[in-house]
Amino acid sequence: METSLQPATTRRGPARLLSVVTVAAAGATALFWLMSRVGGGPSGAEAALVLMAAFGVLLAVAGGYGWTMDRVWRRTRAAAVDELTLFKDDFVARVSHELRTPMTGIVAAARTIDLEQLDGEAAVAVGSMVCRSAELSGIVDDLIVAARADAGLLTVEPVPTSLKEEVEAVVDYIRLLGGDAAIECQDASVLVDPDRFRHVLRNLLVNAHRHGLAPVSIRGQASGDHYICQVVDSGEGIDAEVATTMFRRFVHTGASGREAGSLGLGLAVARELAAQMNTEISYRHINGETHFVLIVPFAGVRRRERSRSLRVMPVWTPDTE
């Protein structure tokens, strides 16, 4: 489930009211007893009035004290939670950033190794190193995005971008992880942040390989002023109950729960980044295939001419079921 450090709400229930009344009644009784011990004290109607007045005063004092302490406790706890949240966000962001640079270097260096020049065991070892380093690099990127989103510092810079170039770059990354994906889309100029868009596609492809079934493909077609890009696999789909929470952080599916290399951040981060780029992301299960659908805006420059030049693919569109 998604975690939160927000202060819990404390209600003034019957127990709290009863405690205030009890304190006031006990104090008034004690005061009346002391007065009766000194000079006989009041009697009859005067005694009742004195007792009621003492009870009212003590009730007001006890209630005011309880209300004041409650306010102080709430403010102190809220301040502590805010400080803890800021510390957590700063810590995650700093650690993730420090890890990102060396991990990027490791992945880049590992990709320069020609596995065909190595013998069997060495090739397997280097291939495993490349896979694990790329996987860890993806986890670090997810943590950085999540931390920046929590701190309100997540930004995007949409620019006209070649969709097919970004798709090909993401497929190359997936191949480092031992997977693959067919590219079934033509090029188009879309308005996205290239780095963020690759991050979204990468997470969707990783999810397809981890929870779906091969073959996996990236399909695309034009639809009006938008481009529909879909990550498709042949899996059985997601249960309706899971589908309602799968875009939340730290949600895991499957009987095994948490899996190696998974923090339960992938889909949540993908949706957060997509929303920042004015891009919609949704899930469909159609004709025995799992579709994660991205509706991406065109770059605006000659977008209608590009729209007419794209071949229509036989996949889901917003106007069909």
Side-chain angles (χ1 to χ4, degrees), residues 170-201:
V170 173
V171 171
D172 286 342
Y173 171 86
I174 292 300
R175 287 170 180 157
L176 292 178
L177 300 178
D180 202 356
I183 300 176
E184 302 176 10
C185 56
Q186 294 185 1
D187 200 9
S189 180
V190 293
L191 189 63
V192 295
D193 183 315
D195 291 336
R196 304 302 196 189
F197 185 65
R198 286 196 301 272
H199 196 157
V200 171
L201 282 180

Side-chain angles (χ1 to χ4, degrees), residues 226-301:
H226 294 80
Y227 190 94
I228 299 178
C229 183
Q230 304 182 84
V231 175
V232 183
D233 69 76
S234 302
E236 297 180 355
I238 301 173
D239 294 339
E241 182 179 353
V242 176
T244 61
T245 60
M246 65 182 174
F247 287 108
R248 292 170 55 186
R249 294 185 187 180
F250 310 116
V251 174
H252 294 262
T253 61
S256 59
R258 295 183 181 273
E259 299 182 25
S262 173
L263 292 178
L265 278 176
L267 292 180
V269 165
R271 170 160 281 189
E272 288 177 3
L273 290 176
Q276 289 286 326
M277 294 184 292
N278 195 29
T279 298
E280 298 178 23
I281 181 172
S282 59
Y283 161 79
R284 299 286 189 277
H285 188 69
I286 308 168
N287 298 327
E289 293 179 329
T290 296
H291 295 240
F292 280 91
V293 185
L294 285 168
I295 302 180
V296 188
F298 277 110
V301 180

